[in-house]
Coordinates of all heavy atoms in Angstrom, one line a residue:
F326 N -14.2 -9.1 3.8 CA -15.4 -8.3 3.8 C -16.3 -8.6 4.8 O -17.0 -7.8 5.5 CB -16.1 -8.4 2.4 CG -17.3 -7.6 2.2 CD1 -17.3 -6.2 2.0 CD2 -18.6 -8.1 2.3 CE1 -18.4 -5.4 1.8 CE2 -19.8 -7.5 2.3 CZ -19.6 -6.0 1.9
A327 N -16.7 -9.9 5.0 CA -17.6 -10.4 6.0 C -17.2 -10.0 7.4 O -18.0 -9.6 8.2 CB -17.9 -11.9 6.0
K328 N -15.9 -10.1 7.7 CA -15.4 -9.8 9.0 C -15.4 -8.3 9.4 O -15.8 -7.9 10.4 CB -13.9 -10.2 9.0 CG -13.3 -10.3 10.5 CD -11.9 -10.9 10.5 CE -11.9 -12.4 10.0 NZ -10.7 -13.0 10.1
E329 N -15.2 -7.4 8.2 CA -15.1 -6.0 8.5 C -16.5 -5.3 8.2 O -16.5 -4.2 8.7 CB -14.0 -5.4 7.6 CG -12.6 -5.8 7.8 CD -11.6 -5.4 6.8 OE1 -12.0 -4.8 5.8 OE2 -10.4 -5.6 7.1
S330 N -17.4 -6.0 7.7 CA -18.7 -5.4 7.4 C -19.5 -5.2 8.5 O -19.5 -6.0 9.5 CB -19.4 -6.2 6.3 OG -20.7 -5.7 6.1
A331 N -20.3 -4.0 8.5 CA -21.4 -3.9 9.7 C -22.5 -4.7 9.3 O -23.4 -4.9 10.2 CB -21.7 -2.5 9.6
H332 N -22.8 -5.3 8.2 CA -23.9 -6.1 7.9 C -23.9 -7.4 8.6 O -22.7 -7.9 8.9 CB -23.8 -6.5 6.4 CG -24.1 -5.3 5.5 ND1 -25.3 -4.7 5.3 CD2 -23.2 -4.5 4.8 CE1 -25.2 -3.6 4.5 NE2 -23.9 -3.5 4.1
T333 N -24.9 -7.9 8.9 CA -24.9 -9.2 9.8 C -25.5 -10.4 8.9 O -25.5 -11.5 9.5 CB -25.8 -9.0 11.1 OG1 -27.1 -8.5 10.6 CG2 -25.1 -7.9 11.9
E334 N -25.9 -10.2 7.7 CA -26.5 -11.2 6.9 C -25.9 -11.2 5.5 O -25.8 -10.0 4.9 CB -28.0 -11.2 6.8 CG -28.8 -11.5 8.1 CD -30.2 -11.4 7.9 OE1 -30.8 -12.4 7.4 OE2 -30.9 -10.4 8.1
F335 N -25.5 -12.4 5.0 CA -24.8 -12.5 3.7 C -25.5 -13.6 2.9 O -25.6 -14.7 3.4 CB -23.4 -12.6 3.9 CG -22.7 -11.5 4.7 CD1 -22.8 -11.6 6.1 CD2 -22.1 -10.5 4.1 CE1 -22.1 -10.6 6.8 CE2 -21.6 -9.4 4.8 CZ -21.6 -9.5 6.3
I336 N -25.7 -13.4 1.7 CA -26.0 -14.6 0.7 C -24.8 -14.7 0.0 O -24.1 -13.8 -0.5 CB -27.1 -14.1 -0.2 CG1 -28.5 -13.8 0.5 CG2 -27.4 -15.2 -1.3 CD1 -29.5 -13.1 -0.3
V337 N -24.3 -15.9 0.0 CA -23.0 -16.3 -0.6 C -23.0 -17.1 -1.9 O -23.4 -18.3 -1.8 CB -22.1 -17.1 0.5 CG1 -20.7 -17.2 0.0 CG2 -22.1 -16.3 1.8
A338 N -22.6 -16.6 -3.0 CA -22.6 -17.2 -4.3 C -21.2 -17.7 -4.6 O -20.5 -16.9 -5.3 CB -23.1 -16.2 -5.3
T339 N -20.9 -18.8 -4.0 CA -19.6 -19.4 -4.4 C -19.7 -20.9 -3.8 O -20.8 -21.3 -3.4 CB -18.4 -18.7 -3.8 OG1 -17.2 -19.3 -4.4 CG2 -18.3 -18.9 -2.3
E340 N -18.7 -21.7 -3.9 CA -18.8 -23.0 -3.5 C -19.1 -23.1 -1.9 O -18.8 -22.4 -1.1 CB -17.2 -23.7 -3.4 CG -17.1 -25.1 -3.6 CD -17.3 -25.9 -2.4 OE1 -17.2 -25.4 -1.3 OE2 -17.8 -27.1 -2.6
I341 N -20.1 -24.0 -1.7 CA -20.8 -24.1 -0.5 C -20.0 -24.3 0.8 O -20.3 -23.9 1.9 CB -21.9 -25.3 -0.6 CG1 -23.0 -25.0 0.5 CG2 -21.3 -26.6 -0.6 CD1 -24.2 -25.9 0.2
G342 N -18.8 -24.9 0.6 CA -17.9 -25.0 1.7 C -17.4 -23.7 2.4 O -16.9 -23.8 3.5
M343 N -17.4 -22.7 1.6 CA -17.0 -21.4 2.1 C -17.9 -21.0 3.3 O -17.5 -20.2 4.2 CB -17.1 -20.3 1.1 CG -15.8 -19.9 0.4 SD -14.6 -19.3 1.5 CE -15.3 -17.6 1.7
L344 N -19.1 -21.4 3.4 CA -20.1 -21.1 4.5 C -19.5 -21.4 5.8 O -19.6 -20.9 6.8 CB -21.4 -21.6 4.3 CG -22.2 -20.6 3.4 CD1 -21.9 -20.7 2.0 CD2 -23.8 -20.9 3.5
Y345 N -18.8 -22.7 5.8 CA -18.3 -23.1 7.1 C -17.2 -22.2 7.6 O -17.3 -21.8 8.8 CB -17.7 -24.6 6.8 CG -17.0 -25.1 8.0 CD1 -17.6 -25.7 9.0 CD2 -15.6 -25.1 8.1 CE1 -17.1 -26.3 10.2 CE2 -15.0 -25.6 9.3 CZ -15.7 -26.2 10.3 OH -15.0 -26.7 11.4
R346 N -16.3 -21.8 6.8 CA -15.3 -20.8 7.2 C -15.9 -19.5 7.6 O -15.5 -19.0 8.6 CB -14.2 -20.7 5.9 CG -13.1 -19.7 6.4 CD -12.2 -19.6 5.2 NE -11.2 -18.5 5.6 CZ -10.2 -18.1 4.7 NH1 -10.2 -18.6 3.5 NH2 -9.4 -17.1 5.1
L347 N -16.8 -19.0 6.8 CA -17.4 -17.7 7.1 C -18.2 -17.6 8.4 O -18.0 -16.8 9.2 CB -18.4 -17.3 6.1 CG -17.7 -16.9 4.7 CD1 -18.7 -16.7 3.5 CD2 -16.9 -15.5 4.8
R348 N -18.8 -18.9 8.8 CA -19.7 -19.0 9.9 C -18.7 -19.1 11.1 O -18.8 -18.5 12.2 CB -20.5 -20.1 9.9 CG -21.8 -19.9 9.0 CD -22.6 -21.0 8.8 NE -23.7 -20.9 7.8 CZ -24.3 -21.7 7.1 NH1 -23.8 -22.9 7.0 NH2 -25.3 -21.3 6.2
N349 N -17.6 -19.8 10.9 CA -16.6 -19.9 12.0 C -15.9 -18.6 12.3 O -15.6 -18.3 13.6 CB -15.6 -21.1 11.8 CG -16.1 -22.4 11.9 OD1 -17.1 -22.6 12.7 ND2 -15.5 -23.5 11.3
E350 N -15.5 -17.9 11.2 CA -14.8 -16.6 11.5 C -15.7 -15.4 12.1 O -15.2 -14.4 12.5 CB -14.1 -16.2 10.3 CG -13.0 -17.2 9.9 CD -12.2 -16.8 8.6 OE1 -12.7 -15.9 8.0 OE2 -11.3 -17.6 8.3
N351 N -17.1 -15.6 11.8 CA -18.0 -14.6 12.1 C -19.2 -15.2 12.8 O -20.4 -15.2 12.3 CB -18.5 -13.9 10.8 CG -17.3 -13.4 10.1 OD1 -16.8 -12.4 10.4 ND2 -16.9 -14.2 9.0
P352 N -19.1 -15.6 14.0 CA -20.2 -16.4 14.7 C -21.4 -15.5 15.0 O -22.5 -16.1 15.1 CB -19.6 -16.7 16.0 CG -18.3 -15.8 16.2 CD -17.8 -15.5 15.0
G353 N -21.3 -14.2 15.0 CA -22.5 -13.3 15.2 C -23.3 -13.0 14.0 O -24.2 -12.1 14.0
K354 N -22.8 -13.6 12.8 CA -23.4 -13.2 11.5 C -24.0 -14.5 10.8 O -23.6 -15.6 11.2 CB -22.3 -12.6 10.6 CG -21.8 -11.3 11.2 CD -20.8 -10.6 10.3 CE -20.4 -9.3 11.0 NZ -19.3 -8.5 10.2
K355 N -24.9 -14.1 10.0 CA -25.6 -15.3 9.2 C -25.2 -15.4 7.7 O -25.0 -14.2 7.2 CB -27.1 -15.1 9.3 CG -27.6 -15.2 10.7 CD -29.1 -15.0 10.9 CE -29.7 -15.1 12.1 NZ -31.2 -14.8 12.3
F356 N -25.0 -16.6 7.3 CA -24.7 -16.8 5.9 C -25.5 -17.8 5.3 O -25.8 -18.9 5.8 CB -23.1 -17.3 5.8 CG -22.1 -16.2 6.5 CD1 -21.9 -16.2 7.9 CD2 -21.7 -15.3 5.7 CE1 -21.0 -15.3 8.3 CE2 -20.7 -14.3 6.2 CZ -20.5 -14.3 7.6
Y357 N -26.1 -17.4 4.1 CA -26.9 -18.3 3.4 C -26.3 -18.7 2.0 O -25.9 -17.9 1.3 CB -28.2 -17.6 3.1 CG -28.9 -16.8 4.4 CD1 -28.7 -15.5 4.5 CD2 -29.4 -17.6 5.3 CE1 -29.2 -14.9 5.5 CE2 -29.9 -17.0 6.4 CZ -29.9 -15.6 6.6 OH -30.3 -15.0 7.7
S358 N -26.3 -19.9 1.8 CA -25.8 -20.5 0.5 C -27.0 -20.2 -0.7 O -28.1 -20.3 -0.3 CB -25.6 -21.9 0.4 OG -25.3 -22.5 -0.8

Side-chain angles (χ1 to χ4, degrees):
F326 179 79
K328 195 176 291 182
E329 295 175 355
S330 177
H332 295 282
T333 58
E334 292 185 79
F335 303 85
I336 299 166
V337 183
T339 194
E340 207 279 335
I341 200 166
M343 259 299 280
L344 275 76
Y345 177 80
R346 178 177 176 187
L347 289 167
R348 288 172 179 150
N349 280 342
E350 291 178 0
N351 304 279
K354 298 180 179 184
K355 294 180 181 176
F356 298 90
Y357 311 105
S358 175

